[in-house]
Amino acid sequence: MVGYRVHYYVFTDLPDEVPTVALGEGRQLTVIKTASSNRWQEISLRRMEMIEKLIEDEVINKAEYIFSLDVDSKFYAHWGAESLGDLVGALHSWFFGKSREQFTYERRPESQAFIPLDEGDYYYGGAVIGGRPDKVLKLVKTCRMQLDVDRANKIKAVWQEESHLNKYFLYNKHTKVFSQSTRCFHDDQVVRSDCVGGYVQFDCDNITVATTFFALGKYVRFLKDLLESAEQHFMVGYRVHYYVFTDLPDEVPTVALGEGRQLTVIKTASSNRWQEISLRRMEMIEKLIEDEVINKAEYIFSLDVDSKFYAHWGAESLGDLVGALHSWFFGKSREQFTYERRPESQAFIPLDEGDYYYGGAVIGGRPDKVLKLVKTCRMQLDVDRANKIKAVWQEESHLNKYFLYNKPTKVLSPEYLWDDQQAKLSFMKVVRFSRVAKNNTEMGVSALFTHTENQ
Ligand SMILES: CC(=O)N[C@H]1[C@@H](OP(=O)(O)OP(=O)(O)OC[C@H]2O[C@@H](n3ccc(=O)[nH]c3=O)[C@H](O)[C@@H]2O)O[C@H](CO)[C@H](O)[C@@H]1O
Ligand SMILES: [Mn+2]
């Protein structure tokens, strides 16, 4: 956090032994005397309640973010603003790449930290907790209370407060939304990719990003601006393979492509129904991944064609499974999300569920992960069709359902999915990709605001 104001709080029973360390500008250190304790577990457990008190008494009014870090540690390289988020966890190095069954979650139902064998996303280390003070307060308060219940029941979770932390993160997912303020690049040709706090490293030179655009009927007219702007802003410096699906191959414009970039046109059957086209994207992407992309590209994106790039969209957007927040619903509450609410549809999401409203215009990730997504959505769409029900926002509704139960490992901020007709929010620094204005009647999109027409 070099370049930021940092306030260290050192809790110790030996204040006189706290070393004097020269602090940079804007950095300060407060020593807080605590009672001694010889029991290691006791000390580790009591951190939760001490952090709770510190946040309530002081941090809540004084800091934008808080971290609690293990003291038997050392920094070896840059740790900056890219680590900030509403609620931040770190993957425990010992369990990185291990499967769920190998995680040392608390397995006894008697403990409040209990996690059933078939649940759990990651194993988080107890050594790093971070986020907005109010979010971290909720975390430490909940863990402290669970610890108290366990104590009253004379049970101690297998990894003490770390077990409770893992339980908390399971049901209160970390949120990390990439935006302009996030520093994503790292030196040494290594890209730091967000993987909920774990760093996935890969060689920048060796990536191909497949990208699909569907341009049927009048939508071919969007291709020129879109492709030209993509050449300027999208994954510049990487190999990019555009796949353009269209029923009008002759009308695909010739756009000069940079080095390492290519475009394949795939002829599709025509269709006049907007919903049908948008729905069929899923199965066409499925086929494309299986037939070709799975062996040829490290990542794939499927993007709406009625769009344009306005600024850099690079490797910071890559992740195992990537979604983007729909600009219309950004900052709105769950009740306002236009999820499918009829239990008869496979896209059904109950009123009290759902994290975000994702736009159908951006799907991305590793080919195998995206394949699983499009296959699942396609099958759900098939079931709905058989049951003669069409989800309120077609495939976008199914996508939202999928992301609810298969969380994206990266959520792109609405910078990556804006709308030209929507005023930029004051705190937004940049729009990277945006939906261009179109005349819906002319384009045959009668259903845009009348999606009740669906049935
Ligand atoms: C910003 C955003 O998240 N947009 C989503 C939204 O409205 P949109 O109004 O953005 O939908 P849209 O008209 O762009 O249709 C989706 C896509 O289908 C293709 N297409 C459609 C009609 C046509 O005649 N020819 C053609 O090629 C084209 O690639 C287009 O981008 O809701 C749709 C619901 O189905 C999709 O989920 C869109 O991704
Ligand atoms: Mn669109």
Side-chain angles (χ1 to χ4, degrees):
M1 301 307 306
V2 173
Y4 297 85
R5 286 194 299 272
V6 172
H7 193 153
Y8 303 109
Y9 293 91
V10 173
F11 290 85
T12 181
D13 55 340
L14 303 170
D16 296 342
E17 295 185 27
V18 175
T20 310
V21 172
L23 301 178
E25 209 197 301
R27 302 171 83 98
Q28 56 177 310
L29 187 151
T30 301
V31 176
I32 299 175
K33 175 131 177 49
T34 61
S36 303
S37 170
N38 299 324
R39 300 208 49 241
W40 169 75
Q41 292 95 331
E42 188 59 28
I43 295 173
S44 135
L45 289 168
R46 277 178 42 217
R47 284 194 290 183
M48 290 290 180
E49 66 181 83
M50 293 198 249
I51 298 168
E52 185 182 346
K53 199 166 159 358
L54 177 69
I55 296 179
E56 287 180 335
D57 291 353
E58 164 146 355
V59 169
I60 196 94
N61 300 311
K62 291 210 178 154
E64 282 70 34
Y65 291 96
I66 178 168
F67 276 109
S68 165
L69 305 174
D70 263 20
V71 75
D72 56 332
S73 316
K74 209 173 145 181
F75 292 90
Y76 290 103
H78 172 90
W79 173 319
E82 76 288 347
S83 65
L84 301 177
D86 272 9
L87 185 60
V88 179
L91 304 183
H92 195 305
S93 65
W94 298 357
F95 300 93
F96 188 64
K98 292 253 157 61
S99 65
R100 178 188 278 164
E101 303 75 53
Q102 296 165 286
F103 295 165
T104 53
Y105 293 146
E106 173 56 57
R107 300 300 192 186
R108 292 165 299 170
E110 296 75 47
S111 166
Q112 300 301 307
F114 170 62
I115 294 180
L117 274 171
D118 59 348
E119 286 192 54
D121 311 306
Y122 300 107
Y123 192 81
Y124 301 94
V128 175
I129 302 173
R132 295 271 184 192
D134 60 329
K135 298 285 194 297
V136 175
L137 179 60
K138 201 179 141 212
L139 180 158
V140 292
K141 207 188 264 294
T142 308
C143 289
R144 193 258 308 151
M145 290 187 312
Q146 308 281 47
L147 286 161
D148 286 347
V149 175
D150 269 16
R151 192 185 323 232
N153 292 332
K154 298 208 191 325
I155 186 163
K156 196 174 278 169
V158 57
W159 280 102
Q160 297 87 30
E161 91 298 350
E162 184 173 86
S163 306
H164 289 272
L165 178 71
N166 273 281
K167 168 75 171 280
Y168 188 85
F169 277 152
L170 175 56
Y171 298 111
N172 303 270
K173 308 266 184 216
H174 40 76
T175 60
K176 188 131 198 306
V177 178
F178 257 78
S179 70
Q180 157 97 45
S181 54
T182 308
R183 263 202 45 184
C184 312
F185 291 100
H186 193 44
D187 18 52
D188 309 330
Q189 283 291 80
V190 170
V191 171
R192 183 179 275 172
S193 161
D194 167 47
C195 156
V196 270
Y199 293 145
V200 177
Q201 300 189 337
F202 45 78
D203 186 349
C204 287
D205 298 335
N206 236 0
I207 297 172
T208 298
V209 182
T211 304
T212 66
F213 295 120
F214 288 78
L216 280 87
K218 294 186 171 128
Y219 279 60
V220 284
R221 71 177 59 173
F222 295 115
L223 280 171
K224 187 162 190 297
D225 278 6
L226 172 66
L227 289 168
E228 281 174 359
S229 65
E231 282 304 286
Q232 262 183 288
H233 302 295
F234 178 67
M235 300 306 305
V236 173
Y238 299 86
R239 284 194 300 272
V240 171
H241 194 153
Y242 302 109
Y243 293 92
V244 173
F245 290 84
T246 183
D247 53 341
L248 301 170
D250 296 341
E251 295 185 28
V252 174
T254 310
V255 171
L257 300 179
E259 208 196 302
R261 302 170 81 99
Q262 56 178 314
L263 187 151
T264 301
V265 176
I266 300 174
K267 177 133 173 51
T268 60
S270 304
S271 171
N272 300 325
R273 300 208 52 240
W274 169 75
Q275 293 93 333
E276 190 57 28
I277 295 174
S278 138
L279 288 170
R280 279 181 39 219
R281 284 192 289 180
M282 291 291 181
E283 65 182 80
M284 294 198 249
I285 299 169
E286 184 182 345
K287 200 169 161 351
L288 177 71
I289 296 179
E290 286 178 337
D291 291 353
E292 165 145 356
V293 168
I294 197 95
N295 299 312
K296 290 208 177 155
E298 280 68 38
Y299 290 95
I300 180 169
F301 276 107
S302 165
L303 305 175
D304 259 23
V305 76
D306 56 331
S307 319
K308 215 177 139 174
F309 291 90
Y310 291 102
H312 171 89
W313 174 319
E316 78 286 352
S317 66
L318 301 175
D320 274 9
L321 186 60
V322 180
L325 303 183
H326 195 306
S327 65
W328 298 359
F329 301 94
F330 185 64
K332 293 250 160 59
S333 65
R334 179 188 278 167
E335 302 77 51
Q336 296 165 287
F337 295 165
T338 55
Y339 293 145
E340 173 55 58
R341 299 301 190 183
R342 292 164 301 169
E344 298 77 51
S345 166
Q346 300 301 309
F348 170 63
I349 295 181
L351 276 172
D352 59 348
E353 285 191 55
D355 310 308
Y356 299 110
Y357 192 82
Y358 300 94
V362 174
I363 300 174
R366 295 269 185 193
D368 61 329
K369 298 284 192 300
V370 176
L371 179 60
K372 203 181 140 212
L373 179 159
V374 292
K375 207 188 265 293
T376 308
C377 288
R378 194 259 305 149
M379 292 188 308
Q380 308 280 47
L381 286 160
D382 287 347
V383 174
D384 269 15
R385 194 183 321 234
N387 292 333
K388 298 207 192 325
I389 187 164
K390 195 174 274 168
V392 58
W393 278 102
Q394 296 89 29
E395 92 300 346
E396 184 174 271
S397 307
H398 289 271
L399 177 72
N400 272 281
K401 167 76 173 277
Y402 188 84
F403 278 155
L404 174 56
Y405 298 111
N406 304 270
K407 309 270 182 214
T409 60
K410 176 158 297 175
V411 179
L412 299 174
S413 83
E415 290 169 7
Y416 293 81
L417 183 49
W418 203 247
D419 184 339
D420 279 4
Q421 283 173 299
Q422 197 181 345
K424 205 166 78 171
L425 299 174
S426 56
F427 56 83
M428 271 177 77
K429 296 202 179 95
V430 65
V431 169
R432 304 175 190 282
F433 182 72
S434 180
R435 187 167 183 259
V436 299
K438 63 176 181 289
N439 179 329
N440 290 320
T441 321
E442 192 199 339
M443 300 307 287
V445 188
S446 56
L448 186 59
F449 294 109
T450 58
H451 47 268
T452 41
E453 174 256 21
N454 278 330
Q455 265 44 250

Short mmCIF file of all heavy atoms in Angstrom, two decimals, residues 18 49 109 121 124-125 146 148 157 188 192 228 237 246 255 269 271 291 303 306 329 354 394 399 406 429:
data_model
loop_
_atom_site.label_atom_id
_atom_site.label_comp_id
_atom_site.label_asym_id
_atom_site.label_seq_id
_atom_site.Cartn_x
_atom_site.Cartn_y
_atom_site.Cartn_z
N VAL A 18 8.08 -3.19 21.16
CA VAL A 18 7.73 -2.86 19.77
C VAL A 18 8.87 -2.04 19.18
O VAL A 18 9.25 -1.01 19.74
CB VAL A 18 6.40 -2.07 19.71
CG1 VAL A 18 6.10 -1.62 18.28
CG2 VAL A 18 5.27 -2.91 20.26
N GLU A 49 -12.51 -10.60 18.41
CA GLU A 49 -13.21 -9.61 19.23
C GLU A 49 -12.42 -8.32 19.37
O GLU A 49 -13.01 -7.24 19.48
CB GLU A 49 -13.60 -10.20 20.60
CG GLU A 49 -12.45 -10.55 21.49
CD GLU A 49 -12.93 -11.15 22.83
OE1 GLU A 49 -13.20 -12.36 22.83
OE2 GLU A 49 -13.03 -10.42 23.82
N PRO A 109 -20.83 -31.38 12.76
CA PRO A 109 -22.02 -30.52 12.74
C PRO A 109 -22.25 -29.80 14.07
O PRO A 109 -22.97 -28.81 14.12
CB PRO A 109 -23.17 -31.48 12.45
CG PRO A 109 -22.52 -32.70 11.87
CD PRO A 109 -21.16 -32.78 12.45
N ASP A 121 -16.05 -23.41 -1.52
CA ASP A 121 -15.46 -23.02 -2.80
C ASP A 121 -13.95 -23.07 -2.74
O ASP A 121 -13.28 -23.60 -3.61
CB ASP A 121 -15.84 -21.57 -3.14
CG ASP A 121 -17.32 -21.32 -3.00
OD1 ASP A 121 -18.09 -22.07 -3.60
OD2 ASP A 121 -17.70 -20.39 -2.27
N TYR A 124 -9.68 -20.65 2.60
CA TYR A 124 -9.09 -19.35 2.85
C TYR A 124 -8.17 -19.40 4.06
O TYR A 124 -8.45 -20.08 5.03
CB TYR A 124 -10.18 -18.32 3.14
CG TYR A 124 -11.18 -18.15 2.01
CD1 TYR A 124 -12.37 -18.87 2.00
CD2 TYR A 124 -10.94 -17.27 0.97
CE1 TYR A 124 -13.30 -18.72 0.97
CE2 TYR A 124 -11.86 -17.11 -0.06
CZ TYR A 124 -13.03 -17.84 -0.05
OH TYR A 124 -13.95 -17.69 -1.07
N GLY A 125 -7.09 -18.65 3.99
CA GLY A 125 -6.17 -18.58 5.13
C GLY A 125 -6.66 -17.59 6.16
O GLY A 125 -7.18 -16.53 5.81
N GLN A 146 -20.02 -16.87 16.81
CA GLN A 146 -19.98 -18.32 16.56
C GLN A 146 -18.95 -18.98 17.48
O GLN A 146 -19.16 -20.09 17.99
CB GLN A 146 -19.61 -18.61 15.11
CG GLN A 146 -20.45 -17.87 14.07
CD GLN A 146 -21.80 -18.50 13.85
OE1 GLN A 146 -22.50 -18.82 14.81
NE2 GLN A 146 -22.17 -18.65 12.60
N ASP A 148 -18.15 -17.91 20.38
CA ASP A 148 -18.75 -17.92 21.72
C ASP A 148 -19.70 -19.11 21.88
O ASP A 148 -19.70 -19.77 22.92
CB ASP A 148 -19.51 -16.61 21.99
CG ASP A 148 -18.56 -15.44 22.23
OD1 ASP A 148 -17.35 -15.70 22.44
OD2 ASP A 148 -19.02 -14.29 22.20
N ALA A 157 -13.35 -25.49 17.02
CA ALA A 157 -13.23 -25.85 15.60
C ALA A 157 -11.79 -26.26 15.28
O ALA A 157 -10.85 -25.78 15.89
CB ALA A 157 -13.66 -24.69 14.71
N ASP A 188 7.64 -7.98 -14.96
CA ASP A 188 8.19 -9.27 -15.36
C ASP A 188 7.29 -10.07 -16.28
O ASP A 188 7.25 -11.30 -16.20
CB ASP A 188 8.48 -10.16 -14.13
CG ASP A 188 9.30 -9.44 -13.11
OD1 ASP A 188 10.09 -8.56 -13.52
OD2 ASP A 188 9.15 -9.73 -11.92
N ARG A 192 -1.04 -10.29 -13.25
CA ARG A 192 -1.65 -10.68 -11.99
C ARG A 192 -3.14 -10.74 -12.25
O ARG A 192 -3.77 -9.76 -12.54
CB ARG A 192 -1.32 -9.59 -11.00
CG ARG A 192 -1.80 -9.84 -9.64
CD ARG A 192 -1.37 -8.67 -8.80
NE ARG A 192 -0.02 -8.84 -8.31
CZ ARG A 192 0.65 -7.89 -7.69
NH1 ARG A 192 0.15 -6.71 -7.53
NH2 ARG A 192 1.85 -8.13 -7.24
N GLU A 228 -13.29 -2.25 -35.61
CA GLU A 228 -12.25 -1.21 -35.63
C GLU A 228 -11.90 -0.77 -34.22
O GLU A 228 -10.72 -0.59 -33.88
CB GLU A 228 -12.71 -0.01 -36.48
CG GLU A 228 -12.54 -0.30 -37.97
CD GLU A 228 -13.12 0.80 -38.87
OE1 GLU A 228 -13.68 1.79 -38.33
OE2 GLU A 228 -13.02 0.64 -40.10
N GLY A 237 -1.99 -6.64 -28.03
CA GLY A 237 -0.76 -7.29 -27.60
C GLY A 237 -0.94 -8.79 -27.42
O GLY A 237 0.01 -9.51 -27.14
N THR A 246 -22.82 -15.08 -38.80
CA THR A 246 -23.74 -14.24 -39.55
C THR A 246 -24.45 -15.02 -40.64
O THR A 246 -23.93 -16.03 -41.13
CB THR A 246 -23.01 -13.03 -40.17
OG1 THR A 246 -23.95 -12.20 -40.84
CG2 THR A 246 -21.95 -13.48 -41.18
N VAL A 255 -11.87 -5.30 -42.24
CA VAL A 255 -11.23 -4.42 -41.25
C VAL A 255 -9.78 -4.87 -41.12
O VAL A 255 -9.50 -6.07 -41.02
CB VAL A 255 -11.96 -4.52 -39.89
CG1 VAL A 255 -11.20 -3.78 -38.81
CG2 VAL A 255 -13.38 -3.97 -40.00
N ALA A 269 -27.87 -19.95 -40.26
CA ALA A 269 -29.20 -19.80 -40.85
C ALA A 269 -29.78 -18.45 -40.43
O ALA A 269 -29.44 -17.93 -39.37
CB ALA A 269 -30.10 -20.93 -40.37
N SER A 271 -32.77 -15.77 -39.28
CA SER A 271 -33.89 -15.83 -38.35
C SER A 271 -34.41 -14.41 -38.20
O SER A 271 -33.64 -13.45 -38.17
CB SER A 271 -33.44 -16.36 -36.99
OG SER A 271 -34.48 -16.20 -36.06
N ASP A 291 -15.73 -27.81 -30.97
CA ASP A 291 -15.10 -28.14 -32.25
C ASP A 291 -13.73 -27.51 -32.42
O ASP A 291 -12.89 -28.02 -33.14
CB ASP A 291 -15.96 -27.65 -33.43
CG ASP A 291 -17.25 -28.44 -33.53
OD1 ASP A 291 -17.40 -29.43 -32.79
OD2 ASP A 291 -18.11 -28.07 -34.36
N LEU A 303 -19.38 -11.52 -26.90
CA LEU A 303 -19.79 -10.14 -26.67
C LEU A 303 -20.91 -9.73 -27.62
O LEU A 303 -20.96 -10.19 -28.77
CB LEU A 303 -18.59 -9.20 -26.89
CG LEU A 303 -17.33 -9.50 -26.06
CD1 LEU A 303 -16.19 -8.58 -26.48
CD2 LEU A 303 -17.61 -9.36 -24.57
N ASP A 306 -23.85 -5.14 -30.95
CA ASP A 306 -24.33 -3.75 -31.03
C ASP A 306 -23.59 -2.91 -29.99
O ASP A 306 -24.17 -2.30 -29.11
CB ASP A 306 -25.85 -3.68 -30.81
CG ASP A 306 -26.29 -4.31 -29.49
OD1 ASP A 306 -25.60 -5.23 -29.00
OD2 ASP A 306 -27.30 -3.86 -28.93
N PHE A 329 -28.50 -1.87 -13.97
CA PHE A 329 -28.86 -2.34 -12.62
C PHE A 329 -27.76 -2.09 -11.61
O PHE A 329 -27.85 -2.51 -10.48
CB PHE A 329 -29.21 -3.83 -12.67
CG PHE A 329 -30.36 -4.11 -13.60
CD1 PHE A 329 -30.12 -4.47 -14.92
CD2 PHE A 329 -31.65 -3.94 -13.17
CE1 PHE A 329 -31.17 -4.69 -15.80
CE2 PHE A 329 -32.71 -4.15 -14.05
CZ PHE A 329 -32.48 -4.52 -15.36
N GLY A 354 -29.65 -13.93 -5.07
CA GLY A 354 -29.04 -13.17 -6.16
C GLY A 354 -28.08 -12.14 -5.64
O GLY A 354 -28.36 -11.40 -4.70
N GLN A 394 -34.84 -13.83 -21.71
CA GLN A 394 -34.23 -14.88 -22.51
C GLN A 394 -32.96 -15.43 -21.87
O GLN A 394 -32.94 -15.70 -20.69
CB GLN A 394 -33.92 -14.38 -23.94
CG GLN A 394 -35.12 -13.98 -24.75
CD GLN A 394 -35.47 -12.53 -24.53
OE1 GLN A 394 -34.61 -11.74 -24.27
NE2 GLN A 394 -36.73 -12.20 -24.63
N LEU A 399 -28.43 -16.96 -17.77
CA LEU A 399 -27.06 -16.63 -17.39
C LEU A 399 -27.01 -16.18 -15.92
O LEU A 399 -26.15 -16.61 -15.15
CB LEU A 399 -26.54 -15.51 -18.29
CG LEU A 399 -25.14 -15.00 -17.97
CD1 LEU A 399 -24.10 -16.04 -18.36
CD2 LEU A 399 -24.85 -13.68 -18.69
N ASN A 406 -22.99 -20.67 -9.78
CA ASN A 406 -21.62 -20.92 -10.24
C ASN A 406 -20.97 -19.55 -10.33
O ASN A 406 -20.96 -18.92 -11.39
CB ASN A 406 -21.60 -21.58 -11.62
CG ASN A 406 -22.40 -22.86 -11.64
OD1 ASN A 406 -21.88 -23.93 -11.37
ND2 ASN A 406 -23.70 -22.75 -11.94
N LYS A 429 -14.55 6.54 -14.05
CA LYS A 429 -13.49 7.28 -14.72
C LYS A 429 -13.52 7.03 -16.22
O LYS A 429 -13.08 7.84 -17.00
CB LYS A 429 -12.14 6.86 -14.15
CG LYS A 429 -11.97 7.23 -12.69
CD LYS A 429 -10.50 7.28 -12.33
CE LYS A 429 -10.28 7.68 -10.87
NZ LYS A 429 -10.12 6.54 -9.99
#
